[in-house]
Amino acid sequence: MQRVTATVQNAQGIHCRPSTVIVKEALAYDGKVTVTGEAGSCDLRSVLGLMTLGLKQGSPVEIAVTGPDEAATAKKLAALFERNFDFPPRAEG
């Protein structure tokens, strides 16, 4: 099992759209992925489960990955939690 920690960077936290992106990545993985925040933990294959954690900007999360290529998968998922999402991208100006 590989465990990594990340801090949510998105200004609006992990709401519906970022949750979908993160869960889609977890669904592509053949092993088990669990995320734990201050409000509890969930299987990362559930958008609703992830959203119920109420992850806001600055929230710490622990990602636990069990299966093939654990380290790379954990690193990739941690990067998604630390990504600044912008849906849709805002025009500069």
Side-chain angles (χ1 to χ4, degrees), residues 23 26-27 31-36 41-51 53:
V23 168
L27 286 168
K32 181 179 177 183
V33 182
T34 304
V35 63
T36 303
S41 63
C42 73
D43 183 329
L44 200 51
R45 297 174 194 269
S46 169
V47 171
L48 185 57
L50 180 55
M51 289 178 55
L53 295 178

Side-chain angles (χ1 to χ4, degrees), residues 9-71:
Q9 298 298 316
N10 195 50
Q12 291 77 35
I14 303 299
H15 55 82
C16 188
R17 288 181 177 172
S19 292
T20 302
V21 172
I22 294 167
V23 168
K24 185 176 179 180
E25 188 67 37
L27 286 168
Y29 182 63
D30 288 332
K32 181 179 177 183
V33 182
T34 304
V35 63
T36 303
E38 293 172 345
S41 63
C42 73
D43 183 329
L44 200 51
R45 297 174 194 269
S46 169
V47 171
L48 185 57
L50 180 55
M51 289 178 55
T52 61
L53 295 178
L55 300 172
K56 300 181 182 338
Q57 184 180 38
S59 295
V61 293
E62 180 182 80
I63 303 153
V65 179
T66 304
D69 205 14
E70 296 170 344

